[in-house]
Amino acid sequence: MVTERMPLDGLRVVDVSTILAGPLCCQILGDFGADVIKVEHPKRADGMRGHGPSKDGVPLWWKEIGRNKRTVAVDLKSEAGTEVLKRLAATADVLVENFRPGVLERWGLGPEVLHEINPGLVLVRVTGFGQSGPYAHRAGFGTLAEAMSGFADLTGQPDGPPTLPAFGLADSICGIAASSAVLMALRHRDATGEGQVVDLSILEPIMAAVGPGPTVYQQLGHLEQRRGNRSANNAPRNTYRTRDGSWVAVSTSAQSIAERVLTLVGHPEVIAEPWFATGHGRAAHVDLLDGYVGDWIAERDRSEVLAAFEEAGAAIAAVYNARDLVEDPHVRETQMLTEVPDDDLGDVLQHNVMWRMQKSPGRIRFTGRAHGADTDEVLAELGFDDQQIREMRESEAVK
């Protein structure tokens, strides 16, 4: 039975983070019911409001990353702003920040102070390289993590340069990891009553995603090389161009799938070869296998290729752009994308909550709100009266 209750109802999260990992973590928590209070500087709002395209001055990405968050504009460096954050911390279960190590401490808002106010608080500290170590005080961005993690070194053509993603990959992986870390820390708190600090770097989650390269190097002295769209673990695995100029991606991670693909493209004889029985063996003959698959696909339009692979039970997908995703019947029917009412844009299409829960599903309650839209409401909830709020606004401590 589905209920109106969401799994994180009653949880309060204070989001004082900016681009992109911390805000995504808090978006996920908000999607599943947490009361997320987004704290931004009165004059320098979260840079996510300026990231990506806008329509008539309305930032489109912000409408998603800022959804399910009430927005408060507070200068945390001011005396009044410090008091606001202390009161927020006293009422919160989770606080997420991504300042450089030591910044909260300089403002008199370090973990010791916050845990004295609220011993059960989970304080998530997202930085480029963690709270300690030689690089702790370096500026940390997802691009740097994508470079240092080994991702860029393994991405791109063999004779080309290391390649960075065209989107916030490391930040996004980190944001998803942070939401998991929050729930683990809350599990500990519920069992013991103790809050704690979660020290999460942007670098470590993407290092895990890139794979066991350090282990392979330590054990074998081997460094993986760029292979373009090919894989060291199996073949054929690549993108292939169809007769009508489209692209498709083929994967043969499973032996049975590799056999179906080569049978489909008219070369079942290679299945009997001893080397074909393992992924590494097939990868060693990648030129031969890519030639067979690529030639067959190049002689057919995309629709014919996709239909033939589906009928054969082989793994294939069209290479999509955003328009293709919007028009895809599976994406729409399963509501991977969903339209959400918005005061500025009407119905706006967004990514849905990241997973479906049978008994207590998440939902998008509202889209990203204007800078400081909820300042008065939240301050009143914290016990500030109208006169105090007016004085803070006059001093520019809040907006």
Side-chain angles (χ1 to χ4, degrees):
M1 177 180 177
V2 176
T3 67
E4 289 299 314
R5 178 174 174 80
M6 290 188 284
L8 299 183
D9 279 353
L11 192 78
R12 172 166 283 187
V13 177
V14 179
D15 178 7
V16 294
S17 63
T18 57
I19 309 168
L20 162 65
L24 178 57
C25 167
C26 296
Q27 177 208 311
I28 294 169
L29 300 176
D31 284 351
F32 288 91
D35 174 23
V36 181
I37 299 174
K38 174 71 177 179
V39 179
E40 302 172 81
H41 192 279
K43 296 181 179 179
R44 297 184 301 279
D46 186 345
M48 288 302 302
R49 292 182 182 272
H51 262 51
S54 62
K55 180 181 180 181
D56 300 328
V58 177
L60 300 181
W61 197 352
W62 174 256
K63 289 295 182 179
E64 180 167 322
I65 198 73
R67 72 190 188 195
N68 294 331
K69 301 178 185 181
R70 295 193 286 167
T71 63
V72 177
V74 179
D75 182 357
L76 299 181
K77 290 186 289 186
S78 68
E79 184 176 345
T82 298
E83 178 60 24
V84 169
L85 192 67
K86 287 180 178 179
R87 292 199 194 186
L88 278 171
T91 69
D93 300 281
V94 181
L95 191 149
V96 180
E97 62 97 359
N98 70 336
F99 301 108
R100 291 197 196 187
V103 170
L104 279 185
E105 287 81 354
R106 289 202 303 273
W107 295 344
L109 294 167
E112 295 80 6
V113 173
L114 297 178
H115 281 140
E116 184 175 351
I117 295 169
N118 181 355
L121 181 70
V122 173
L123 174 58
V124 182
R125 313 194 77 175
V126 180
T127 56
F129 304 102
Q131 295 292 316
S132 61
Y135 304 156
H137 291 278
R138 286 186 180 181
F141 296 98
T143 298
L144 310 186
E146 288 146 9
M148 289 183 63
S149 64
F151 174 86
D153 186 60
L154 292 177
T155 304
Q157 295 302 316
D159 57 351
T163 302
L164 296 167
F167 54 93
L169 178 63
D171 275 285
S172 297
I173 295 173
C174 183
I176 297 168
S179 70
S180 178
V182 165
L183 299 183
M184 293 182 191
L186 289 173
R187 174 78 170 174
H188 172 83
R189 186 203 64 179
D190 291 346
T192 66
E194 298 174 333
Q196 62 181 298
V197 174
V198 177
D199 179 5
L200 179 61
S201 75
I202 299 173
L203 178 59
E204 284 186 89
I206 192 172
M207 283 173 57
V210 169
T215 304
V216 173
Y217 174 72
Q218 187 257 343
Q219 292 292 315
L220 302 176
H222 175 69
L223 293 174
E224 188 60 65
Q225 303 300 310
R226 284 190 292 283
R227 296 172 180 267
N229 293 317
R230 291 175 169 178
S231 169
N233 301 314
N234 63 81
R237 188 265 198 181
N238 212 326
T239 57
Y240 305 91
R241 191 165 190 170
T242 62
R243 181 171 59 190
D244 54 356
S246 298
W247 290 89
V248 295
V250 172
S251 176
T252 59
S253 296
Q255 181 70 21
S256 60
I257 300 296
E259 293 173 3
R260 292 172 195 171
V261 169
L262 270 297
T263 300
L264 173 64
V265 302
H267 290 279
E269 74 280 358
V270 298
I271 298 173
E273 296 288 345
W275 52 262
F276 195 87
T278 67
H280 283 293
R282 297 197 306 276
H285 294 78
V286 63
D287 288 336
L288 175 70
L289 298 178
D290 259 354
Y292 288 158
V293 176
D295 289 348
W296 186 90
I297 289 175
E299 295 172 354
R300 292 160 176 83
D301 292 345
R302 186 177 82 170
S303 60
E304 182 183 354
V305 171
L306 294 176
F309 267 72
E310 183 174 353
E311 183 177 356
I316 193 169
V319 176
Y320 274 4
N321 56 29
R323 179 183 60 238
D324 297 321
L325 277 173
V326 168
E327 295 175 352
D328 182 86
H330 181 84
V331 171
R332 296 308 294 263
E333 183 174 325
T334 58
Q335 296 187 312
M336 294 180 184
L337 298 172
T338 187
E339 290 186 347
V340 187
D342 179 79
D343 291 340
D344 299 313
L345 299 169
D347 288 339
V348 57
L349 193 67
Q350 294 190 351
H351 298 101
N352 208 339
V353 298
M354 281 194 187
W355 49 86
R356 312 293 181 263
M357 296 183 67
Q358 180 184 18
K359 299 294 180 64
S360 54
R363 66 179 182 271
I364 303 169
R365 291 163 283 154
F366 52 89
T367 57
R369 291 170 58 71
H371 185 209
D374 304 290
T375 298
D376 287 3
E377 176 184 82
V378 172
L379 292 182
E381 291 176 3
L382 297 175
F384 293 97
D385 59 32
D386 291 345
Q387 177 64 28
Q388 290 172 312
I389 296 172
R390 188 160 46 250
E391 290 174 355
M392 284 191 282
R393 184 162 282 113
E394 289 172 355
S395 69
E396 299 185 332
V398 305
K399 175 183 176 181

